[in-house]
Amino acid sequence: MIALVDCNNFYASCERLFRPEYNGRPVIVLSNNDGCVIARSNEAKALGIKMGAVFYMMEEMIKEHQILVFSSNYTLYGDMSARVMNNLARFAPAVEVYSIDECFLDLTGMTDLEAYAHRIRHSVIRNTGIPVSVGIAPTKTLAKLANKMCKHTGGVCVLDTEEKIRQAVETYQVEDLWGIGRAYAAKLITMGINTAADLRNMPIGFIQERLTIQGVRMWNELWGKSCIPVNDALDRKKALCTSRAFSRLTSDLTVLIEATASYASRLSLKLREDKSCATVISVRLLTNRFKTDQPQACPSIAIPLTHPVNNTHDIVHTALAGLRAIYLEGFLYQKVEVMATGLIPESEVQLNIFSKWNGPVYDKLSAVMDQINKHYGRGTVRIAAEGQEQTWAMKRRYLSPAYTTEWKDIIKTK
DNA sequence: TCTGGGGTCCTAGGACCC
DNA sequence: TCTGGGGTCCTAGGACCC
């Protein structure tokens, strides 16, 4: 049997954790640049606020219902996530951290799962303050389904008999299935397939044809046959990306250079944290797709590197060369993306006999910068190309303190 | 004024190899 | 009438996840 443990309204729960006076009040968390709603407390959901709702259109509602608003604070969420996952790791021999707020537990061979699920819930809330739901079933797909079903009914659901599974899939909407997104849901519903049971009752040939191999796996899993194992190994990333909208649109190349240098620098840090090196750096500029009355463009380039690297200097240098190559005048850009692909482990980098390469010097420089920034805070030392003012930097008007990761932000008691 | 930021997997088609 | 049989790699596009 497999358990899926999912944190309830995770970002909203994190924000409220350090502000207990907000319990019982509607809380929303915004995306980067304070653009749209990406997390809601139950009270906010009850007000009818939808996932992805556009924030600037909500002004009246915020006032009327005294909704508490937060900019997203990934430093806080990442740290709270690690605490929750550490706590969960004690409950199973194999766990797979599936996302920032979800974890699969392999409960093979365990008995009295209902009681065990309650123990997991109580442990996490007691040790971290984050409420979770636990769904248990023979497969990952059914565990996801079980978890979603019990979000508002006690937080525990165990589907351990065929009869319980049959009843569950009959009322479960097809668009809520793990693996069915917007496009598939629309197609299936026009064909009269509305519930998980409807889908499960279709012939396998139909599934293979319409939903390809991943659909076949899902279909088998709905019948209780596990096809997606719990993967407790940490897979290496295949790509890393830093992409962010600016606080305002711009056509100014000097602004784009600053932003690109800054994102590339951040990307190189991610590479070093991942202990991998990039063999290809890609850069892409994007205009605002919502402004349909303005000319649109998204020029991009992929630059192969002569030597796999992860130091700040080489990554920034390459990204800026890419930016200059693709920049087109006459467009208002909203965002730049810098991506690293063809990743290889840092320890497996091959030397290149033909190219002169100053990497070691820059590698050392990056290591020193990382040490300083780790001690004194991100951005304490950075390269000049990133700029001083950073007028393009994203909006975070409602940012909460980094309660658990910054000494200056730690909670004080009287 | 204002609409997120990361990732993964699969398929089809084309170019190439022996 | 009729033109082999295996492969790999790459890219673009489309689907999905959180």
Side-chain angles (χ1 to χ4, degrees):
Chain A
M1 296 290 272
I2 297 170
L4 175 69
V5 182
D6 187 309
C7 301
N8 300 343
N9 315 325
F10 182 54
Y11 298 169
S13 298
C14 287
E15 295 293 353
R16 214 152 53 178
L17 199 51
F18 295 91
R19 305 296 294 268
E21 69 272 26
Y22 292 168
N23 285 340
R25 292 185 55 189
V27 170
I28 59 173
V29 178
L30 305 177
S31 63
N32 281 350
N33 272 314
D34 297 337
C36 45
V37 176
I38 56 166
R40 306 151 293 160
S41 69
N42 286 341
E43 299 79 8
K45 287 178 186 172
L47 290 173
I49 299 170
K50 295 275 179 274
M51 186 74 173
V54 179
F55 178 58
Y56 75 85
M57 296 174 171
M58 296 174 55
E59 208 171 315
E60 271 179 34
M61 187 176 204
I62 304 273
K63 266 190 204 146
E64 188 187 339
H65 298 284
Q66 305 211 348
I67 297 166
L68 299 155
V69 180
F70 293 93
S71 300
S72 37
N73 183 346
Y74 288 101
T75 312
L76 174 64
Y77 313 150
D79 184 66
M80 288 313 303
S81 172
R83 290 162 194 247
V84 170
M85 300 308 169
N86 279 334
N87 199 80
L88 289 175
R90 298 189 298 210
F91 286 93
V95 300
E96 175 184 344
V97 177
Y98 178 66
S99 74
I100 195 164
D101 70 336
E102 282 172 73
C103 186
F104 287 107
L105 277 60
D106 187 347
L107 303 183
T108 305
M110 296 192 186
T111 53
D112 203 2
L113 294 171
E114 187 101 25
Y116 201 60
H118 283 290
R119 268 183 60 198
I120 293 172
R121 283 198 78 209
H122 292 143
S123 167
V124 176
I125 189 104
R126 178 156 183 262
N127 293 336
T128 68
I130 300 290
V132 299
S133 304
V134 184
I136 299 179
T139 69
K140 278 186 169 180
T141 304
L142 288 170
K144 288 279 280 188
L145 184 151
N147 186 292
K148 189 146 188 166
M149 284 177 41
C150 67
K151 274 277 167 202
H152 304 289
T153 56
V156 168
C157 174
V158 181
L159 299 178
D160 52 358
T161 66
E162 284 195 24
E163 180 54 22
K164 283 187 198 167
I165 293 170
R166 194 184 58 75
Q167 282 182 12
V169 293
E170 270 174 8
T171 52
Y172 199 82
Q173 295 306 113
V174 76
E175 68 263 33
D176 293 335
L177 278 171
W178 188 45
I180 299 295
R182 269 216 314 267
Y184 282 158
K187 276 186 210 162
L188 291 171
I189 289 166
T190 59
M191 287 185 277
I193 298 164
N194 295 301
T195 65
D198 292 342
L199 188 72
R200 195 171 86 145
N201 288 328
M202 295 305 288
I204 187 75
F206 169 90
I207 303 290
Q208 163 81 60
E209 191 187 332
R210 307 289 175 128
L211 307 180
T212 78
I213 185 66
Q214 314 207 73
V216 172
R217 287 190 196 116
M218 176 176 63
W219 184 87
N220 277 305
E221 290 229 324
L222 286 174
W223 283 108
K225 195 168 142 198
S226 180
C227 295
I228 311 170
V230 174
N231 175 16
D232 63 335
L234 280 181
D235 292 339
R236 294 204 73 91
K237 283 213 169 41
K238 294 169 182 170
L240 282 170
C241 177
T242 298
S243 143
R244 203 152 295 148
F246 314 130
S247 49
R248 62 180 75 93
L249 302 180
T250 184
S251 55
D252 186 346
L253 182 58
T254 56
V255 169
L256 295 174
I257 287 173
E258 277 189 20
T260 305
S262 176
Y263 295 6
S265 169
R266 171 105 186 96
L267 179 68
S268 71
L269 176 61
K270 286 189 197 174
L271 282 165
R272 294 192 291 275
E273 285 171 348
D274 195 53
K275 297 203 181 307
S276 55
C277 287
T279 55
V280 178
I281 294 291
S282 306
V283 184
R284 181 153 77 137
L285 280 168
L286 294 93
T287 46
N288 186 339
R289 66 199 156 99
F290 293 102
K291 299 211 179 288
T292 46
D293 55 334
Q294 284 178 7
Q296 300 285 316
C298 69
S300 69
I301 190 171
I303 303 175
L305 299 163
T306 51
H307 191 103
V309 290
N310 63 12
N311 73 65
T312 306
H313 174 275
D314 288 341
I315 302 282
V316 170
H317 191 78
T318 310
L320 289 182
L323 173 72
R324 291 197 174 91
I326 59 172
Y327 174 73
L328 300 169
E329 277 179 55
F331 294 95
L332 280 170
Y333 296 105
Q334 183 195 30
K335 177 193 277 197
V336 62
E337 268 178 27
V338 187
M339 187 151 63
T341 50
L343 304 191
I344 58 169
E346 210 173 45
S347 56
E348 292 171 23
V349 170
Q350 303 259 354
L351 294 174
N352 186 328
I353 196 171
F354 298 111
S355 65
K356 184 166 171 287
W357 183 60
N358 294 318
V361 175
Y362 295 122
D363 287 355
K364 276 185 200 159
L365 185 59
S366 292
V368 171
M369 285 170 68
D370 290 349
Q371 273 178 32
I372 294 171
N373 287 335
K374 195 173 176 189
H375 192 272
Y376 293 99
R378 187 190 288 178
T380 302
V381 282
R382 53 180 194 265
I383 52 169
E386 294 181 48
Q388 185 70 36
E389 301 285 327
Q390 306 207 332
T391 52
W392 42 269
M394 70 174 167
K395 276 186 282 190
R396 300 173 93 181
R397 277 187 293 167
Y398 312 97
L399 187 62
S400 53
Y403 299 107
T404 61
T405 53
E406 286 284 349
W407 285 113
K408 66 178 171 48
D409 290 345
I410 204 162
I411 296 270
K412 295 181 185 70
T413 55
K414 285 183 183 159

